[in-house]
Amino acid sequence: MSAKSHPEIKVGILGATGTVGQRFIQLLASHPYFKIHALGASSRSASQQYSKVTRWKLSTPIPDFVQKMVVQDCRPDAEGFAECGVVFSGLDADVAGDIEEAFRSANLIVYSNAKSYRRDPLCPLIVPLVNPSHLSIIPRQRSALSLSKGYIVTNANCSTTGLVVPLAALEKAFGPLETVMVTTLQAISGAGYPGVSSLDILDNVVPHIGGEEEKIEWETNKILGGLRSDNKEFDLHATDSVKPINVSATCTRVPVIDGHTGVVSVKFSCNPPPSIEAIDKAFREFTCEAQELGVPSAPAQAIVVHDAPDRPQPRLDRDLHNGACVSVGRIRDCPVFDVKFVCLIDNVRLGAATSSIMNAEIAVEKGYIA
Ligand SMILES: NC(=O)C1=CN([C@@H]2O[C@H](COP(=O)(O)OP(=O)(O)OC[C@H]3O[C@@H](n4cnc5c(N)ncnc54)[C@H](OP(=O)(O)O)[C@@H]3O)[C@@H](O)[C@H]2O)C=CC1
Ligand SMILES: N[C@@H](CC(=O)OP(=O)(O)O)C(=O)O
């Protein structure tokens, strides 16, 4: 069956009024088979019309049919959620853990952006252009929790996502990486709404984002690692023959609205390392399972390599492939490690909502969402 001929699947959105929630609505409003059915947010918004309580920040209007939808409390028994084949979560991380668990316990399927379950040994942490094979732990999660249907899948931190796509291309072509150093320049929208005060960010760079560096350093190895052969445990990029990648991150906030940039240096395990020409080719030729499956949100190109010496740039390149790809440029020799380059991701699309949606599309293809 082609992706477009799937029967309609009703979906819910938790945190529907927020930065990520608005992207979910924009992207799902025209989806070929996911149909927006229920919206949830805090008690501040619940029981009111979506358009009245949302400070909509996207340049396309709120879809007509969403404007008058009534926002629900984020409870699995609130109107509409029980009929949903999948519930997407863009919930504030402070509340996501308990709410998503309540939905899973009610046998609902949750695809989350929040950090709460990324390190859970039963939950896959999936970047759809990299490791959708990790979905195969879902039966183990269900059986461990005695659930017939419900489970939680998470996607990664937005900067981690922009980093691991090019790293996956390098590992696919040249084998395990040894060391990665990344400095990020992260957009304001990454902090949600209203986010960082204008007096803090205008004319400025803030060299600290709480908890961000640890997330990049830890999540990279879960994503680039595998599942052990019994599908019951992640190997966190550590097997008899492969060591975890040493990852060091420095994260900064910059006055950009959307688009996280990463300045990356990599050391390979193989010696001698590949040439810059071979690395450039590996990025350009990288393809992934989401593309092979032909899911609707997969970009035609997972990595766009820029030849101009002053690209990628957030304002010019974040919209490529509808924000579903990673841009890479400035690929060159590194006098300390082996290669350095710059990457760019749309933090609210591939860094958040697009990843959740693409993960769910892949799960539909694999039979984990009916
Ligand atoms: N922004 C980004 O680039 C990325 C964000 N994420 C993650 O996605 C999640 C959402 O982030 P973002 O959209 O930026 O955050 P926002 O602050 O913009 O939105 C938060 C949402 O959570 C809802 N909410 C807050 N408190 C409660 C509560 N007590 N009960 C129910 N709902 C509540 C809000 O509803 P209300 O409007 O009613 O207050 C709102 O819909 C976070 O976990 C974040 O870490 C992940 C990757 C990237
Ligand atoms: N912390 C990220 C966004 C985010 O919410 O990340 P996470 O989902 O890992 O908490 C940023 O500020 O750009």
Side-chain angles (χ1 to χ4, degrees), residues 122-328:
L122 291 173
C123 286
L125 168 58
I126 298 185
V127 172
L129 306 181
V130 174
N131 64 326
S133 62
H134 289 196
L135 286 170
S136 58
I137 202 165
I138 289 170
R140 166 82 182 135
Q141 187 185 145
R142 282 173 169 156
S143 69
L145 301 171
S146 304
L147 293 168
S148 57
K149 184 174 161 225
Y151 64 84
I152 296 173
V153 166
T154 63
N155 44 275
N157 168 275
C158 35
S159 290
T160 309
T161 302
L163 175 68
V164 295
V165 175
L167 297 186
L170 295 179
E171 289 215 323
K172 190 175 177 186
F174 310 113
L177 305 177
E178 186 188 292
T179 305
V180 173
M181 288 194 73
V182 58
T183 300
T184 66
L185 298 84
Q186 300 188 202
I188 309 165
S189 59
Y193 186 82
V196 191
S197 139
S198 54
L199 275 179
D200 286 329
I201 198 64
L202 290 177
D203 186 30
N204 210 5
V205 172
V206 181
H208 177 251
I209 302 175
E212 195 79 353
E213 294 168 358
E214 294 81 355
K215 285 184 235 174
I216 297 171
E217 290 168 2
W218 192 88
E219 291 175 18
T220 298
N221 275 299
K222 182 167 179 181
I223 296 160
L224 293 176
L227 268 169
R228 297 195 189 275
S229 54
D230 58 4
N231 277 335
K232 288 186 176 168
E233 217 181 327
F234 298 100
D235 69 23
L236 305 179
H237 207 275
T239 65
D240 291 344
S241 55
V242 178
K243 290 191 182 138
I245 307 171
N246 301 308
V247 185
S248 173
T250 300
C251 295
T252 74
R253 185 79 68 198
V254 297
V256 163
I257 292 178
D258 285 324
H260 288 359
T261 300
V263 180
V264 189
S265 301
V266 172
K267 182 164 174 43
F268 293 90
S269 296
C270 61
N271 194 7
S275 66
I276 296 300
E277 293 69 30
I279 290 168
D280 182 291
K281 187 163 176 281
F283 285 143
R284 285 178 202 272
E285 293 183 352
F286 177 69
T287 57
C288 59
E289 195 182 356
Q291 295 168 312
E292 286 155 22
L293 291 169
V295 298
S297 302
Q301 241 179 304
I303 297 175
V304 175
V305 177
H306 297 260
D307 292 318
D310 60 352
R311 303 288 274 274
Q313 295 181 17
R315 185 151 49 84
L316 300 182
D317 298 315
R318 63 191 168 208
D319 290 329
L320 286 169
H321 297 285
N322 198 26
C325 67
V326 172
S327 281
V328 168

Side-chain angles (χ1 to χ4, degrees), residues 14-22 24 40-46 53-55 71-74 89-96 99-100 112-116 118 155-159 161 187-195 215 253 258 260 346-349 351-353:
L14 303 174
T17 51
T19 306
V20 174
Q22 292 179 26
F24 272 129
S42 77
S43 54
R44 296 179 288 276
S45 311
V53 290
T54 305
R55 281 167 290 201
V71 177
Q72 305 295 321
D73 279 315
C74 290
S89 170
L91 281 170
D92 188 294
D94 289 345
V95 297
I99 294 174
E100 291 171 4
S112 172
N113 279 280
K115 64 182 177 188
S116 317
R118 291 183 191 149
N155 44 275
N157 168 275
C158 35
S159 290
T161 302
I188 309 165
S189 59
Y193 186 82
K215 285 184 235 174
R253 185 79 68 198
D258 285 324
H260 288 359
D346 184 304
N347 53 298
V348 192
R349 283 183 279 183

